[in-house]
Amino acid sequence: MTLKMLAAYYSCGCDSRGLFAGYRLEQDSSFAEHLNKYDVIYLNMQQFLIEAASGKVTEYLEQEVLRELRKAYGMYFDREGIGLAAALREIFVETDRQFIFLIDEWDCVMRERQESEVKELCKRYDMDYVETGLA
């Protein structure tokens, strides 16, 4: 629920001012600064784990996000085989648009997949890997 509220706050795809009306947050001086100003990419990792082939979660996630980005921004990265990071850079260069990634159920990746796949995902997206003993 928290991530859905963050998505509502940041997403330029909706006008969520009324959702926060009457709450203390609305009175904060920075409230309007980021309200509905960004493209939000909401990832439910559990869904990707269920739908992806074994050992292919990262590739499937990237493919699905790129498919969605092509709908709105495909004219800025028309070459085949482009990766997600490169596509986001090209979109930013051309449009000055920033994206916010909200990742739900991140921990299920560590519970359900091999440690090597988790390490690869972290490495690919320049994230720290913390040994959990869950893999």
Side-chain angles (χ1 to χ4, degrees):
M1 184 185 285
T2 302
L3 284 182
K4 289 181 181 180
M5 286 196 54
L6 286 170
Y9 174 76
Y10 286 114
S11 179
C12 63
C14 66
D15 179 5
S16 62
R17 183 174 293 277
L19 180 67
F20 300 100
Y23 290 97
R24 233 177 19 198
L25 175 64
E26 183 185 33
Q27 305 308 314
D28 190 282
S29 61
S30 66
F31 174 71
E33 182 180 353
H34 300 287
L35 179 69
N36 304 133
K37 301 266 194 302
Y38 303 94
D39 287 305
V40 172
I41 298 175
Y42 183 96
L43 304 173
N44 182 329
M45 294 308 293
Q46 192 169 35
Q47 173 189 346
F48 288 103
L49 282 171
I50 291 168
E51 295 176 1
S54 182
K56 301 292 183 186
V57 174
T58 305
E59 291 85 355
Y60 181 63
L61 182 148
E62 190 165 343
Q63 166 194 319
E64 289 298 300
V65 173
L66 280 168
R67 187 175 59 78
E68 288 295 316
L69 287 174
R70 275 193 178 87
K71 290 178 185 177
Y73 296 105
M75 70 287 282
Y76 301 118
F77 61 98
D78 56 358
R79 62 188 155 99
E80 285 299 313
I82 191 169
L84 178 57
L88 290 169
R89 276 193 308 273
E90 290 187 22
I91 293 167
F92 179 74
V93 166
E94 295 294 328
T95 66
D96 205 32
R97 305 268 326 150
Q98 294 181 359
F99 291 83
I100 292 181
F101 280 76
L102 298 174
I103 304 174
D104 201 3
E105 299 291 340
W106 168 252
D107 60 324
C108 72
V109 174
M110 289 180 251
R111 285 193 318 263
E112 301 295 331
R113 294 294 187 185
Q114 296 295 321
E115 183 176 349
S116 61
E117 188 173 351
V118 174
K119 285 181 180 179
E120 175 60 30
L121 185 62
C122 290
K123 180 180 166 186
R124 178 176 278 195
Y125 293 103
D126 196 26
M127 297 165 36
D128 292 329
Y129 175 77
V130 178
E131 198 71 43
T132 63
L134 296 176

